[in-house]
Amino acid sequence: MTSTTVDVLVVGAGFSGLYAVHRAQQEGWSVAAVEAAPEVGGTWWWNRYPGARCDVESLDYSFSFDEELQRSWRWSERYATQPEILRYLQHVADRFDLRRHYRFDTRVESGRFDDEASRWVVTTAAGEELRARYLVLATGSLSAPLDPAIPGLDRFAGRLLRTSSWPQEPVDLTGQRVGVIGTGSSGVQAIPELAQQAAYLTVFQRSPNFSVPALNRPLSDEEWEQAQRDYAERRRISWAGPAGSPHTSHPEDPFTLTEEQRREVLADFWQRGGVLFGKVFPNQSIDPRVNELARAYAEERIREIVRDPRVADDLVPTDHPIGTKRICTDTHYYETFNRDDVELVNLRRDPIETVMPWGVKTTSGSHELDVLVLATGFDAMTGAMTRIDLVGPRGDRITEAWADGPVTYLGLGVPGFPNLFNLAGVGSPSVLANMVLAGEQQVNWLVDLLRHCDEQGHTQVEARADAARAWTAHVDEVASRTLFVQARSWYMGANVEGKPRGFMPYLGGFAAYGRLCDDARDGGYAGFVLSS
């Protein structure tokens, strides 16, 4: 078994992982990094299904730490596609010479903390041993795919595809009978594209989600030049905002407006497109009356688009306030169900009994398929971490430590696991914020902490159990004041059988979280045990 020893080991090559490697090399620390994919990109390498694109605007979903990088990369569209985001990350890796630190096609299987040496000993699937003072997990919030527990799935004789690991080579579905299971973000983006290729498309839907048209468009040269002039202010607003973007809610209480004025505001936000409709008015995620205004407007738009009233009934969510499951961002999703060669199967009414070699059998019918696409989501926020066999110095295993639900301090540290830090994880704004700026904020803060440890001669830094309990209670308390806890969402872990229920991201806001992290730093890192 070969062995390598470094100061910092980073797992993951998405936005946060690449930035962590960049900052580590800036500090002069020896750094190694591993990535399961054969290339940089993280989720944007794996999720290459037709229609894949980001639901945060390109101008914001990009690094802010280097002004020349901002000027040199020209985004082509308002919402970038997967190929363009992947090219951007490859450009970043080349520009800052990050690839030399990476072992690609390398999956981490286990890690144990050597207390005497104050180092993590990490083992890869290839049998290599990596030893590091600090282990930084940038494994992603949505990177542990789930297959549905459907009888007979393994005996399907056609082609089985997954949106979470779409083939690199082009997939030709011309003349094929295609089925899609799942209508979350990936399914909603893929379905219109698949319908254009397939001879017939069958969509198997368990729970409908609200989706708002992206209204995507190319960025003109004039827009790009104006964006360059305004970039500094755009970033300033984003860093000070609740979601790491420059967009804010309409400032007025909707009940002080006339009905006509309210509809004008709702129409304006609908035209802005995408997830922004989740925060049209202040308190939309807190006050059921305000939420109902947005929900009713979205329902109207869906019913205007979908011609068949019964299909529209099935596509309108009735089980959660709007925005409490992530609003999807689509291109002609609802219009797709007006096609004669597209069928929607409501699994609440007509559940799948089994998958057969020839297709899918539901309670009331049979659906012959050549291709079956699984768009069935992820073990979100914890899955990528708990799939690694992590063992702390006192024998704690992460799966056992989190058996009753994850407990973190600031979303970064875990009691019982010194010198281990998780980025974009449970207890941080994570998926509720612009993940790129969120990654920059966490990595910058972490670098300050590790530099402090070096300067003070500390060799171990571990989140205190009482501080982690208090932080987790704060995360729970903030969530409990909102409508988010009413939804059976992956934010709550509700999509994974047996997973403890609890709202995992921090809802207090991106800028507020940053201030709390700064307070912890300025207070001497009292939430950690620092030792030699």
Side-chain angles (χ1 to χ4, degrees):
M1 177 184 288
T2 60
S3 181
T4 301
T5 300
V6 293
D7 292 320
V8 179
L9 175 61
V10 177
V11 183
F15 278 95
S16 293
L18 290 176
Y19 187 58
V21 171
H22 172 62
R23 286 303 318 273
Q25 70 177 11
Q26 271 191 330
E27 291 295 315
W29 295 324
S30 58
V31 56
V34 296
E35 167 57 49
E39 173 60 293
V40 300
T43 191
W44 297 109
W45 191 90
W46 295 102
N47 290 267
R48 54 182 67 231
Y49 56 85
R53 70 173 69 240
C54 188
D55 60 3
V56 177
E57 290 179 86
S58 310
L59 290 170
D60 304 309
Y61 195 76
S62 53
F63 286 119
S64 72
F65 69 88
D66 187 281
E67 288 190 16
E68 180 55 34
L69 173 63
Q70 286 188 157
R71 287 192 294 270
S72 66
W73 184 266
R74 168 64 158 93
W75 292 105
S76 67
E77 296 180 275
R78 184 185 178 206
Y79 293 103
T81 61
Q82 176 270 336
E84 186 169 18
I85 297 171
L86 183 58
R87 289 195 300 273
Y88 172 75
L89 289 168
Q90 291 167 339
H91 171 72
V92 171
D94 292 338
R95 183 184 183 91
F96 297 101
D97 194 19
L98 305 179
R99 295 176 195 274
R100 64 191 175 94
H101 299 290
Y102 272 92
R103 290 155 169 80
F104 294 107
D105 288 311
T106 301
R107 190 173 294 277
V108 171
E109 286 199 337
S110 65
R112 62 175 179 82
F113 189 73
D114 181 340
D115 195 33
E116 186 174 343
S118 294
R119 292 185 184 275
W120 277 95
V121 181
V122 172
T123 304
T124 71
E128 184 179 10
E129 184 179 273
L130 300 168
R131 302 175 68 89
R133 288 198 294 147
Y134 302 108
L135 177 58
V136 180
L137 299 178
T139 48
S141 302
L142 298 169
S143 56
L146 291 173
D147 276 356
I150 298 175
L153 190 60
D154 58 348
R155 64 184 176 187
F156 179 60
R159 188 171 189 184
L160 187 65
L161 298 171
R162 295 168 175 82
T163 54
S164 60
S165 55
W166 198 263
Q168 293 185 64
E169 67 276 4
V171 177
D172 185 5
L173 300 175
T174 304
Q176 303 284 293
R177 298 164 300 178
V178 179
V180 179
I181 300 177
T183 53
S185 291
S186 299
V188 164
Q189 289 185 335
I191 284 165
E193 297 291 327
L194 299 176
Q196 293 181 37
Q197 298 181 46
Y200 195 85
L201 180 69
T202 305
V203 178
F204 299 93
Q205 172 192 272
R206 185 183 63 176
S207 301
N209 282 294
F210 286 103
S211 188
V212 177
L215 302 175
N216 192 39
R217 53 178 168 72
L219 288 175
S220 68
D221 289 341
E222 293 76 13
E223 285 179 292
W224 181 252
E225 291 165 6
Q226 185 63 48
Q228 290 298 312
R229 290 192 290 270
D230 297 342
Y231 231 142
E233 178 64 7
R234 186 183 185 106
R235 292 297 197 186
R236 185 195 67 77
I237 295 171
S238 297
W239 277 99
S245 81
H247 303 289
T248 58
S249 300
H250 181 80
E252 297 173 282
D253 183 329
F255 298 110
T256 66
L257 305 176
T258 66
E259 175 65 19
E260 182 181 0
Q261 289 171 327
R262 281 198 296 267
R263 292 188 66 81
E264 286 177 359
V265 173
L266 288 161
D268 174 50
F269 272 77
W270 187 267
Q271 288 300 313
R272 297 184 192 187
V275 295
L276 298 179
F277 198 76
K279 53 180 181 182
V280 177
F281 294 112
N283 293 332
Q284 186 171 312
S285 64
I286 296 173
D287 187 334
R289 299 174 306 149
V290 178
N291 190 277
E292 175 57 21
L293 296 174
R295 190 214 62 77
Y297 186 87
E299 179 177 350
E300 283 184 40
R301 299 285 77 76
I302 295 168
R303 293 188 183 280
E304 282 179 359
I305 297 169
V306 181
R307 299 191 195 113
D308 186 326
R310 189 180 185 197
V311 174
D313 286 344
D314 288 342
L315 288 170
V316 172
T318 58
D319 63 348
H320 65 277
I322 190 168
T324 57
K325 289 184 178 181
R326 189 174 185 89
I327 291 177
C328 301
T329 301
D330 73 86
T331 302
H332 305 308
Y333 175 66
Y334 293 114
E335 291 88 340
T336 299
F337 293 96
N338 292 330
R339 298 174 60 121
D340 293 335
D341 54 2
V342 174
E343 177 184 2
L344 179 66
V345 178
N346 184 335
L347 298 181
R348 298 289 189 191
R349 187 169 56 242
D350 188 16
I352 294 174
E353 288 189 346
T354 187
V355 175
M356 302 294 289
W358 45 261
V360 173
K361 186 179 186 307
T362 64
T363 300
S364 66
S366 298
H367 304 272
E368 295 186 6
L369 303 172
D370 303 302
V371 178
L372 182 58
V373 178
L374 302 182
T376 47
F378 302 87
D379 183 356
M381 304 198 67
T382 59
M385 188 169 172
T386 57
R387 291 182 186 188
I388 302 172
D389 183 21
L390 296 169
V391 184
R394 296 176 291 279
D396 301 301
R397 274 188 155 78
I398 192 66
T399 50
E400 297 167 356
W402 285 2
D404 297 323
V407 177
T408 74
Y409 177 56
L410 299 176
L412 286 161
V414 183
F417 297 85
N419 295 21
L420 179 147
F421 304 94
N422 189 32
L423 302 179
V426 177
S428 73
S430 185
V431 293
L432 298 179
N434 175 354
M435 296 281 280
V436 184
L437 293 196
E440 289 186 47
Q441 181 272 329
Q442 285 196 312
V443 169
N444 290 339
W445 191 88
L446 179 56
V447 167
D448 286 347
L449 171 59
L450 302 190
R451 189 191 304 121
H452 173 80
C453 289
D454 282 354
E455 292 170 350
Q456 299 300 316
H458 301 305
T459 57
Q460 292 189 21
V461 50
E462 179 181 345
R464 285 174 37 178
D466 59 343
R469 286 194 298 270
W471 177 254
T472 302
H474 172 61
V475 172
D476 291 343
E477 193 272 332
V478 171
S480 72
R481 301 199 300 262
T482 74
L483 302 175
F484 278 90
V485 295
Q486 295 184 17
R488 284 180 49 82
S489 67
W490 56 259
Y491 296 144
M492 297 282 293
N495 64 320
V496 181
E497 187 68 31
K499 187 170 182 175
R501 300 292 185 263
F503 198 83
M504 292 183 285
Y506 179 58
L507 266 168
F510 168 67
Y513 170 80
R515 290 191 293 271
L516 290 169
C517 288
D518 291 345
D519 289 345
R521 178 199 60 210
D522 298 342
Y525 302 105
F528 290 97
V529 176
L530 307 177
S531 59
S532 302

